[in-house]
Protein backbone atom coordinates (compact mmCIF):
# COMPACT_ATOMS: atom_id res chain seq x y z
CA UNK A 1 0.00 0.00 0.00
CA UNK A 2 1.36 3.44 -0.90
CA UNK A 3 2.25 5.69 2.03
CA UNK A 4 -0.61 8.17 1.42
CA UNK A 5 -3.07 5.33 0.94
CA UNK A 6 -1.94 3.65 4.14
CA UNK A 7 -2.29 6.90 6.09
CA UNK A 8 -5.74 7.60 4.64
CA UNK A 9 -6.94 4.10 5.52
CA UNK A 10 -5.50 4.39 9.04
CA UNK A 11 -7.32 7.72 9.58
CA UNK A 12 -10.65 6.32 8.37
CA UNK A 13 -10.35 3.17 10.47
CA UNK A 14 -9.33 5.15 13.57
CA UNK A 15 -12.48 7.25 13.25
CA UNK A 16 -14.67 4.21 12.66
CA UNK A 17 -13.22 2.42 15.70
CA UNK A 18 -14.47 5.26 17.91
CA UNK A 19 -18.07 4.32 17.04
CA UNK A 20 -18.27 0.50 17.11
CA UNK A 21 -22.01 0.48 17.86
CA UNK A 22 -22.86 2.57 14.82
CA UNK A 23 -20.49 0.57 12.61
CA UNK A 24 -22.31 -2.63 13.57
CA UNK A 25 -25.61 -1.04 12.55
CA UNK A 26 -24.49 -0.03 9.05
CA UNK A 27 -26.79 -1.82 6.60
CA UNK A 28 -26.23 -4.07 3.61
CA UNK A 29 -23.10 -4.55 1.61
CA UNK A 30 -21.74 -1.19 2.73
CA UNK A 31 -21.85 -2.33 6.32
CA UNK A 32 -20.20 -5.62 5.37
CA UNK A 33 -17.38 -3.76 3.61
CA UNK A 34 -16.79 -1.40 6.53
CA UNK A 35 -16.73 -4.25 9.04
CA UNK A 36 -14.39 -6.23 6.77
CA UNK A 37 -12.10 -3.19 6.41
CA UNK A 38 -11.77 -3.05 10.18
CA UNK A 39 -10.26 -6.56 10.07
CA UNK A 40 -7.23 -5.22 8.17
CA UNK A 41 -7.36 -5.97 4.42
CA UNK A 42 -6.29 -3.31 1.97
CA UNK A 43 -8.70 -1.31 -0.16
CA UNK A 44 -7.45 -3.30 -3.15
CA UNK A 45 -8.32 -6.59 -1.43
CA UNK A 46 -11.75 -5.31 -0.43
CA UNK A 47 -12.40 -4.16 -3.99
CA UNK A 48 -11.44 -7.59 -5.32
CA UNK A 49 -13.50 -9.46 -2.72
CA UNK A 50 -16.64 -7.38 -3.28
CA UNK A 51 -16.14 -6.91 -7.06
CA UNK A 52 -16.02 -3.12 -6.81
CA UNK A 53 -13.57 -0.47 -7.87
CA UNK A 54 -11.10 0.85 -5.34
CA UNK A 55 -12.78 4.26 -5.70
CA UNK A 56 -16.11 2.71 -4.71
CA UNK A 57 -14.54 1.17 -1.60
CA UNK A 58 -12.97 4.52 -0.66
CA UNK A 59 -16.37 6.20 -1.10
CA UNK A 60 -18.08 3.59 1.06
CA UNK A 61 -15.50 3.98 3.83
CA UNK A 62 -15.61 7.79 3.66
CA UNK A 63 -19.41 7.82 3.68
CA UNK A 64 -19.43 5.45 6.66
CA UNK A 65 -17.16 7.80 8.61
CA UNK A 66 -19.46 10.72 7.78
CA UNK A 67 -22.48 8.67 8.78
CA UNK A 68 -21.21 7.45 12.15
CA UNK A 69 -19.56 10.74 13.13
CA UNK A 70 -22.48 12.90 11.98
CA UNK A 71 -20.23 15.11 9.89
CA UNK A 72 -21.67 16.52 6.67
CA UNK A 73 -20.31 15.42 3.34
CA UNK A 74 -17.61 17.64 1.86
CA UNK A 75 -17.49 16.01 -1.56
CA UNK A 76 -18.60 18.02 -4.55
CA UNK A 77 -19.84 16.43 -7.72
CA UNK A 78 -19.26 18.36 -10.91
CA UNK A 79 -20.10 17.68 -14.50
CA UNK A 80 -17.30 16.54 -16.77
CA UNK A 81 -16.21 17.77 -20.16
CA UNK A 82 -19.03 17.39 -22.64
CA UNK A 83 -21.67 16.82 -19.99
CA UNK A 84 -25.26 17.40 -20.93
CA UNK A 85 -26.41 20.20 -18.67
CA UNK A 86 -29.52 21.30 -20.59
CA UNK A 87 -32.91 19.81 -19.72
CA UNK A 88 -35.23 18.23 -22.21
CA UNK A 89 -35.38 15.34 -24.62
CA UNK A 90 -32.57 16.60 -26.84
CA UNK A 91 -30.49 17.65 -23.87
CA UNK A 92 -29.21 20.71 -25.66
CA UNK A 93 -27.51 18.72 -28.39
CA UNK A 94 -29.59 19.94 -31.32
CA UNK A 95 -28.22 21.68 -34.40
CA UNK A 96 -24.82 23.22 -34.00
CA UNK A 97 -22.85 25.65 -36.09
CA UNK A 98 -21.29 22.53 -37.59
CA UNK A 99 -24.61 21.14 -38.80
CA UNK A 100 -26.93 18.53 -37.36
CA UNK A 101 -25.50 15.98 -34.97
CA UNK A 102 -27.98 13.38 -36.24
CA UNK A 103 -29.65 12.83 -32.90
CA UNK A 104 -33.06 14.19 -33.87
CA UNK A 105 -35.86 11.61 -33.87
CA UNK A 106 -37.56 10.78 -37.17
CA UNK A 107 -40.76 12.61 -38.05
CA UNK A 108 -43.81 10.65 -36.86
CA UNK A 109 -45.85 8.88 -39.56
CA UNK A 110 -49.45 8.48 -38.32
CA UNK A 111 -50.60 6.40 -41.31
CA UNK A 112 -50.26 2.62 -41.53
CA UNK A 113 -47.19 1.35 -43.40
CA UNK A 114 -47.67 -0.28 -46.82
CA UNK A 115 -47.70 -4.08 -46.71
CA UNK A 116 -46.51 -4.08 -50.34
Amino acid sequence: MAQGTHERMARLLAELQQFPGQVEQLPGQEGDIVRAAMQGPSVYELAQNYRLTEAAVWNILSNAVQSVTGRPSRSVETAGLGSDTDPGVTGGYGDTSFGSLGNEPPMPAPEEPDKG
Side-chain angles (χ1 to χ4, degrees):
M1 212 180 316
Q3 185 66 21
T5 301
H6 181 71
E7 291 170 359
R8 180 179 179 195
M9 183 67 140
R11 270 194 315 271
L12 290 172
L13 292 178
E15 291 190 74
L16 289 168
Q17 289 169 348
Q18 294 177 20
F19 302 93
Q22 285 95 328
V23 169
E24 286 302 316
Q25 294 177 8
L26 292 171
Q29 184 180 31
E30 290 81 5
D32 294 341
I33 291 169
V34 172
R35 287 184 288 277
M38 295 182 78
Q39 301 303 313
S42 69
V43 170
Y44 173 79
E45 292 170 311
L46 291 167
Q48 295 299 307
N49 292 341
Y50 288 94
R51 296 181 154 197
L52 298 169
T53 64
E54 290 180 56
V57 174
W58 282 120
N59 283 337
I60 288 168
L61 295 174
S62 296
N63 289 342
V65 167
Q66 292 169 1
S67 176
V68 300
T69 62
R71 276 189 252 142
S73 173
R74 291 181 285 143
S75 63
V76 176
E77 188 171 328
T78 60
L81 180 62
S83 294
D84 179 1
T85 58
D86 291 337
V89 175
T90 62
Y93 289 114
D95 285 339
T96 67
S97 60
F98 301 108
S100 175
L101 295 176
N103 65 343
E104 289 80 19
M107 294 301 293
E111 58 275 343
E112 292 288 324
D114 291 333
K115 296 207 178 215

